């Protein structure tokens, strides 16, 4: 029951927050202001906001329903004591998670590059082309982030050896062992930091590209950087056409 008010409140807050942003974009791009709530966005928000709590309650409800009333009321009863765990590696079944993940990513990348991009050129669907290029760029950034974890351990050891000199040099082995014991946690922190930094750089590049695109679209819409206006009446189109054609045909001195 809390999902419905949460969805309504979230949609209302998101709509209010988007109003000044849409106003600034419309003023900057000189386009008509449109503050309507998009149907697709509304459907997505309602669907995710209702289905996610339902999906999150399936496992707890099933766990409660399989117990008796006495077990449910027993405060000292631990659910872990009733759980039996059987571990079986996927390699034993002939399925490697690493190979499967790499194969799926290669299939997706190959289909995107060899089918989707040429199809967007063929049908002149530039929106699909730009979306495909964005996915390729995001995949490249994700790959670089993953590769950065391979040099984390040698890099941190090099940094420690560079900053520890003199009397602190005798604690070098202790510090290196401490880093080795926290390597898994440090790897997760490094992934989070690198992902956040990559997102900031990627978002900045996208905003810069959109700003240049808006300026280019305005130039295309206006025709050129030169604009002639008349305050006393209509322009003499025939005369202006004759003047520009004559100036264009005049040889350059």
């Amino acid at each position: 029951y809390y999902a419905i008010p949460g969805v309504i409140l979230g949609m209302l807050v998101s709509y209010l927050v988007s109003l000044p942003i849409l106003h600034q974009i419309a003023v900057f791009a000189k386009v008509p202001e449109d503050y309507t709530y998009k149907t697709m966005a509304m459907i997505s928000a309602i669907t995710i906001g209702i289905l996610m709590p339902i999906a999150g309650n399936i496992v707890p409800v099933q766990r409660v329903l399989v117990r008796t009333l006495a077990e449910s009321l027993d405060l000292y009863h631990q659910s872990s004591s009733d759980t039996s765990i059987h571990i079986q590696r996927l390699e034993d079944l002939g399925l490697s998670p690493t190979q499967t993940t790499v194969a799926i990513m290669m299939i997706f990348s190959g289909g995107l590059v060899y089918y989707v991009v040429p199809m967007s050129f063929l049908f002149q669907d530039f929106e699909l082309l730009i979306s495909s290029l964005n996915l390729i760029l995001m995949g490249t950034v994700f790959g670089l982030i993953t590769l950065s974890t391979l040099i984390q351990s040698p890099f941190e050891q090099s940094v420690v050896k560079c900053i520890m000199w003199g009397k602190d040099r005798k604690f070098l082995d202790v510090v290196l062992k401490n880093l080795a014991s926290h390597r898994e946690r440090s790897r997760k922190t490094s992934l989070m930091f690198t992902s956040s930094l990559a997102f900031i750089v990627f978002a900045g590049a996208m905003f810069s590209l959109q700003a240049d695109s808006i300026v280019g679209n305005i130039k295309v819409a206006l025709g050129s950087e030169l604009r002639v206006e008349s305050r006393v009446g209509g322009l003499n189109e025939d005369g202006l056409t004759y003047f520009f054609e004559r100036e264009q045909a005049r040889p350059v001195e």
Side-chain angles (χ1 to χ4, degrees):
Y1 296 102
Y2 295 101
I4 297 177
V7 171
I8 296 175
L9 182 61
M11 293 175 63
L12 180 60
V13 172
S14 64
Y15 179 72
L16 295 177
V17 171
S18 66
L19 290 179
I21 300 176
L22 293 175
H23 176 70
Q24 293 296 329
I25 293 176
V27 172
F28 180 78
K30 296 182 180 180
V31 296
E33 299 182 2
D34 185 11
Y35 300 108
T36 57
Y37 213 117
K38 302 301 180 182
T39 306
M40 192 63 189
M42 186 182 302
I43 294 175
S44 301
I46 295 175
T47 303
I48 296 175
I50 294 178
L51 292 182
M52 290 301 293
I54 295 176
N57 290 326
I58 291 177
V59 176
V61 170
Q62 288 181 346
R63 184 178 300 175
V64 172
L65 292 178
V66 297
R67 294 180 179 179
T68 61
L69 181 60
E71 292 176 349
S72 300
L73 296 177
D74 188 3
L75 300 177
Y76 301 97
H77 183 76
Q78 297 182 358
S79 59
S80 59
S81 61
D82 297 338
T83 304
S84 60
I85 301 175
H86 177 68
I87 300 177
Q88 186 173 9
R89 301 179 62 183
L90 292 176
E91 287 82 355
D92 300 335
L93 301 176
L95 183 63
S96 175
T98 304
Q99 294 179 357
T100 304
T101 304
V102 173
I104 294 175
M105 293 179 63
M106 293 181 66
I107 291 173
F108 176 77
S109 301
L112 185 63
V113 173
Y114 291 104
Y115 289 97
V116 178
V117 173
M119 184 181 67
S120 62
F121 273 110
L122 181 61
F123 294 100
Q124 296 184 356
D125 191 351
F126 297 106
E127 182 178 358
L128 179 60
L129 174 62
I130 295 175
S131 301
S132 302
L133 294 178
N134 285 335
L135 288 177
I136 294 173
L137 180 59
M138 292 175 63
T140 305
V141 173
F142 178 74
L144 293 175
I145 292 173
T146 306
L147 290 177
S148 66
T149 59
L150 300 178
I151 63 174
Q152 175 190 348
S153 179
F155 180 74
E156 64 184 10
Q157 291 180 5
S158 302
V159 172
V160 171
K161 292 179 181 179
C162 291
I163 64 177
M164 296 192 68
W165 292 96
K167 297 180 180 179
D168 297 333
R169 192 71 177 182
K170 58 185 178 181
F171 298 106
L172 179 62
D173 294 336
V174 178
V175 175
L176 291 178
K177 291 180 180 179
N178 190 11
L179 289 175
S181 62
H182 294 82
R183 185 163 297 163
E184 188 66 27
R185 185 179 300 175
S186 300
R187 182 178 291 110
K188 295 179 180 178
T189 305
S190 176
L191 280 174
M192 294 174 59
F193 175 77
T194 310
S195 301
S196 302
L197 183 62
F199 172 77
I200 294 174
V201 175
F202 185 78
M206 290 299 299
F207 283 129
S208 177
L209 178 62
Q210 290 180 359
D212 295 337
S213 177
I214 291 174
V215 174
N217 291 333
I218 293 176
K219 290 182 178 180
V220 171
L222 295 179
S224 66
E225 297 181 355
L226 177 62
R227 184 174 179 177
V228 181
E229 295 182 355
S230 176
R231 297 182 180 180
V232 296
L235 297 175
N236 186 1
E237 183 179 356
D238 296 333
L240 289 175
T241 303
Y242 173 75
F243 172 76
F244 286 124
E245 289 179 352
R246 185 183 63 184
E247 293 295 324
Q248 187 177 6
R250 177 181 298 180
V252 179
E253 297 179 359

